[in-house]
Amino acid sequence: MSKRRDGRAPPDEMSEAFTYNGGRVDPGESANIRYGISETYLGDPVRIPVTVINGAYPGPTVFLSAAAHGDELNGIEVVREVAHDWAHENLHGTLVCLPVLNVPGFLAQQRYLPIYDRDLNRSFPGREGSTSANRMAHQIFTNFIEPCDLGIDFHTSTRGRTNMLHVRADMDRPEVARLAHAFSSNIIIGSEGPRGTLRQEASDADIPTITIEMGEAHRFQRELIDRALTGVASVLAEYRLHPDSSVHWPGWRTVIDDRDEKTWLRADVGGIVDMKYTSGDLVHEGDVICTITNPFKEEEEVDTVEAPFTGLIVGILENPVVYPGNPLCHLVGLEQDTLLALERELEPTAGVATELF
Ligand SMILES: [Zn+2]
């Protein structure tokens, strides 16, 4: 099952084997594993794909996981490219690549486990002898998360919405904050994760873990995938798994915590939303973000939704139908210097003009 890769330096004697229930991957080897975490109604195994790449040189063990929500596809490609397209001859440490955690949900193209619609990402660290979701989470957690030193779990927005690529991390924990900074995204939203999420439960088990939110469910968004790959490379540089690479600086960054101005703007009327902006756009206080109509509304009657403060649209609805109370967009306030840096990025000619003087 394991195979030595060609053209690599001999294993360093300090390196250790990666072991899981029923197998091991020695230093300088990689393995593609289909690991059984449950059984179907037919009694067949439910197996998740795992690629373990154990570097020739000693270093930290890092997990990369995706599709804990089965319809969130962007992260699958991020993890696949790291596992199979990147050169690992000079890897100092071990990568545990888990591109599809929720295989039943992925096959059904839905967010939750099809069995009683359980949320796998509220089931960690899992428990033996418990529900099907808890047993699957337990298998994943004990075999492939607990042996790691840190991890990155990739998500997208929920179906019908989209968001900018951003990090979610418990910034009160210094080691989690180090990882969040290393990923080099423009936006970090600091908060404790809900109980049962992979990032919170792994972090509680002293495995600093962050979540990456990127784009839409049911989509494959190349620009976001490439930005996430830059983030992974930056993390591998920070923790010296790729000691010759350097940490990437995203140009500007803002860390939003619970004390900062941020809000999900919600519809106060039902209807169809004509959205004027997209995620990643800057809006100023008083700008009309969207209008809401219905089939009987005349033009002068449409409801308008204005920005309550100047900020960045991090998340936004894609499916334009709303009940009162449904979210329209996730708006976050920015510090003045971040705002200026962002305005410069959005209008690059202004920066050039300044430099000419
Ligand atoms: Zn998700």
Side-chain angles (χ1 to χ4, degrees), residues 147 160 243 313:
I313 295 180

Side-chain angles (χ1 to χ4, degrees), residues 90 125 185 202-203 251 254 339:
N90 197 30
S185 68
S203 295
T254 187
L339 188 64

